[in-house]
Amino acid sequence: MAGATCPKCGNKTLFNDNRGKSCTRCDFFVEIPVAKGRGRRCVICGKYQVGENGVCRDCGAKHNYGED
């Protein structure tokens, strides 16, 4: 069973593991961050797409929730 192509060594040896993706031939490793949920609700478009930076990923509206 072949994995994805490793960007470091070029072999098809990039497989998923419990922390991300790692190559079985070289020391290449990609850590996949944990999703932090769906975000806060945007007051403009109504979708739950407002991230930690206060910007809606859907419509681009900037929010200020009074947090510094």
Side-chain angles (χ1 to χ4, degrees):
M1 181 173 142
T5 302
C6 176
K8 186 174 179 183
C9 68
N11 295 314
K12 294 199 176 282
T13 53
L14 194 63
F15 293 98
N16 291 331
D17 63 7
N18 59 352
R19 301 173 311 170
K21 292 187 176 224
S22 62
C23 180
T24 56
R25 286 217 174 176
C26 66
D27 59 349
F28 183 77
F29 176 73
V30 178
E31 185 174 351
I32 300 172
V34 176
K36 295 185 179 181
R38 61 183 186 169
R40 290 186 169 178
R41 185 176 183 273
C42 177
V43 296
I44 303 299
C45 68
K47 297 181 180 175
Y48 290 89
Q49 295 291 321
V50 179
E52 291 180 357
N53 60 355
V55 178
C56 179
R57 293 184 292 269
D58 191 62
C59 71
K62 295 180 182 176
H63 296 75
N64 182 358
Y65 290 103
E67 299 170 358
D68 292 328

